[in-house]
Amino acid sequence: MSKFFFISIFLCLVSCSFSSKREVYKKKLDAHQLTKVSAWQWTQNYNLETKVTTKLSDHEEELLEILKGAHSLYPAKGFTPSGIDDNSFQHIFRYTILTLPRELKIFLNNHIKKIFLVKGLGVSTLTIQLESDEKENSGKFISFLDIDVLNQKINDWYKWRESTAFKKDEEYSYKPYLSHENTVVNTSQMALAYLSAIILNWNPEYFPTSREAYFLNPNKYKFLNTSWKIKNGLVSPIYHDLLEDLHYLRYYSKGEPLFSTKEQSIFYKEIEKTGFVNLFSLMGSSKDFIESIANYIYVEKFKHPYSIDFYEKEKLIGTFESCWQQVRCQHKRDIIEEILNKEIYLITR
């Protein structure tokens, strides 16, 4: 009994400590001037490519450190550097913006106030919506992108992200194929596709800004209903027969991954009976929304391939391919095209 009592107290103290830290960071963010739309009015007439910078002011550095603490972010490990220096990467990223389809560039420029290329996030993108006195959802954002993570060739970037969920088993390997050229430009394109998807994810017309909003009007959110449902007060996948282990899969985990590359091909095979575009999109309804739209833009609008080959020793044991031309993703594709038609593109098949 005494041992249980001690553990209970310990867990309470840990929980209270985390809650206290979250509250401290929340107060700091609420009080920080750079989280307000009004602080960024000076960027109003800038072109999107000129909003990209690697140089942060003291106030911007302060905000970045608060955000790192609030989201428990830490530097990436195990990435494969492209060999391009940080300054040159900034020019490549700006070049990528210049080559975007005009409609997408206008959309991003209307919503993004500043893009900071920084280090130490450990994830590709950290984007926050700015606060406005006029309305709850301002539709204006600033974005921090991790140079170390994005300054990888696209296939290396995808392989790195998979490595955050699967530890290496020497007998099992995988090869992502997301580009014919496999360049850093491709990775920058993917990052900009994610920014577009994140902006749309904050739009209450397409995705609920709170769990309560979904509970009150679930039929409003057509995308959510393709793969998710409300069960016991929680939003969970509609697929009842998924492998139990999939519920424990985590990307960007601080600890060592629970699963290895031996299970990876099995997990990907499992989601072929669902409408999920990849395993990462299974991590939550918001991640599914962002991942699906970003993947659609990158694959269908930027005309890139998307597949992963899995090997046992040197033998090919499976391939996972883009689902946009498959029946399993057609409903989701129709909804995404409806959203993009309204917000960015005129899409015709």
Side-chain angles (χ1 to χ4, degrees):
M1 177 66 72
S2 60
K3 181 179 180 182
F4 174 78
F5 181 68
F6 172 77
I7 293 173
S8 299
I9 293 176
F10 175 75
L11 291 175
C12 178
L13 289 173
V14 171
S15 176
C16 292
S17 174
F18 284 145
S19 298
S20 176
K21 284 183 179 180
R22 282 196 297 268
E23 189 62 30
V24 168
Y25 283 124
K26 184 179 184 305
K27 287 181 179 179
K28 287 182 178 181
L29 287 173
D30 289 343
H32 206 286
Q33 185 59 33
L34 294 186
T35 61
K36 313 296 188 291
V37 172
S38 57
W40 301 95
Q41 295 299 341
W42 58 275
T43 68
Q44 190 68 35
N45 298 319
Y46 279 39
N47 292 325
L48 184 61
E49 64 273 12
T50 62
K51 294 179 180 178
V52 179
T53 185
T54 57
K55 297 179 180 179
L56 280 67
S57 68
D58 290 343
H59 278 95
E60 291 161 353
E61 287 280 6
E62 180 183 56
L63 175 60
L64 176 59
E65 291 307 310
I66 294 172
L67 288 168
K68 284 181 182 179
H71 294 277
S72 301
L73 299 177
Y74 52 96
K77 297 179 181 178
F79 55 87
T80 306
S82 69
I84 299 169
D85 63 74
D86 294 347
N87 189 55
S88 296
F89 176 77
Q90 178 180 219
H91 293 302
I92 289 172
F93 194 84
R94 285 177 171 169
Y95 165 78
T96 306
I97 290 174
L98 287 170
T99 61
L100 288 177
R102 180 175 177 272
E103 303 94 331
L104 183 57
K105 184 179 175 183
I106 291 172
F107 172 79
L108 287 169
N109 199 34
N110 285 340
H111 291 279
I112 297 289
K113 291 293 185 180
K114 198 76 176 177
I115 296 175
F116 299 98
L117 302 178
V118 300
K119 289 178 176 288
L121 299 181
V123 294
S124 302
T125 306
L126 173 61
T127 301
I128 63 169
Q129 180 170 228
L130 301 169
E131 295 179 14
S132 171
D133 295 332
E134 300 174 5
K135 52 187 177 180
E136 182 179 350
N137 297 284
S138 68
K140 306 298 179 183
F141 302 81
I142 57 174
S143 186
F144 297 89
L145 307 182
D146 193 313
I147 293 180
D148 289 335
V149 171
L150 294 178
N151 195 359
Q152 304 180 83
K153 296 177 181 179
I154 186 65
N155 293 337
D156 291 331
W157 169 81
Y158 199 91
K159 194 167 187 177
W160 167 80
R161 190 175 73 168
E162 289 293 298
S163 73
T164 69
F166 296 97
K167 57 190 173 185
K168 188 175 182 180
D169 183 317
E170 294 298 336
E171 293 195 357
Y172 295 86
S173 61
Y174 58 101
K175 291 183 181 178
Y177 186 66
L178 277 72
S179 169
H180 301 302
E181 293 82 18
N182 189 30
T183 67
V184 172
V185 170
N186 301 141
T187 317
S188 297
Q189 287 176 331
M190 179 65 88
L192 291 164
Y194 276 113
L195 283 186
S196 305
I198 290 168
I199 291 167
L200 292 169
N201 184 239
W202 277 93
N203 189 326
E205 185 174 346
Y206 308 123
F207 198 88
T209 53
S210 68
R211 192 169 61 178
E212 290 73 21
Y214 185 40
F215 292 164
L216 292 173
N217 192 7
N219 293 329
K220 175 182 178 180
Y221 303 103
K222 292 188 288 185
F223 182 93
L224 257 173
N225 295 331
T226 62
S227 298
W228 304 88
K229 63 182 178 182
I230 301 172
K231 183 179 180 181
N232 300 326
L234 299 173
V235 180
S236 60
I238 63 174
Y239 308 99
H240 64 277
D241 57 346
L242 289 175
L243 285 175
E244 179 72 18
D245 283 347
L246 280 174
H247 298 293
Y248 301 99
L249 180 65
R250 292 292 179 271
Y251 284 76
Y252 301 123
S253 175
K254 284 186 177 181
E256 186 174 340
L258 293 175
F259 304 103
S260 75
T261 47
K262 181 178 181 179
E263 288 86 22
Q264 188 183 24
S265 63
I266 299 171
F267 286 0
Y268 269 95
K269 184 67 176 176
E270 181 74 359
I271 63 169
E272 286 183 347
K273 62 186 181 186
T274 75
F276 293 114
V277 298
N278 55 28
L279 285 176
F280 189 86
S281 64
L282 184 61
M283 297 302 97
S285 57
S286 182
K287 289 182 174 64
D288 181 28
F289 184 95
I290 294 169
E291 191 72 17
S292 298
I293 292 181
N295 188 283
Y296 176 89
I297 291 173
Y298 181 80
V299 174
E300 293 295 309
K301 298 303 293 182
F302 293 166
K303 304 299 182 185
H304 289 302
Y306 175 83
S307 64
I308 312 171
D309 288 335
F310 302 99
Y311 296 88
E312 182 178 356
K313 296 181 178 177
E314 300 299 319
K315 180 183 178 182
L316 180 68
I317 57 173
T319 298
F320 182 84
E321 297 181 316
S322 169
C323 69
W324 299 120
Q325 304 300 327
Q326 299 176 21
V327 172
R328 70 185 186 89
C329 285
Q330 280 308 296
H331 189 199
K332 190 167 283 187
R333 174 176 181 149
D334 290 341
I335 295 169
I336 290 173
E337 289 181 347
E338 182 182 331
I339 293 172
L340 295 181
N341 257 321
K342 187 174 181 179
E343 298 291 338
I344 306 175
Y345 294 107
L346 177 61
I347 297 175
T348 56
R349 293 193 193 178

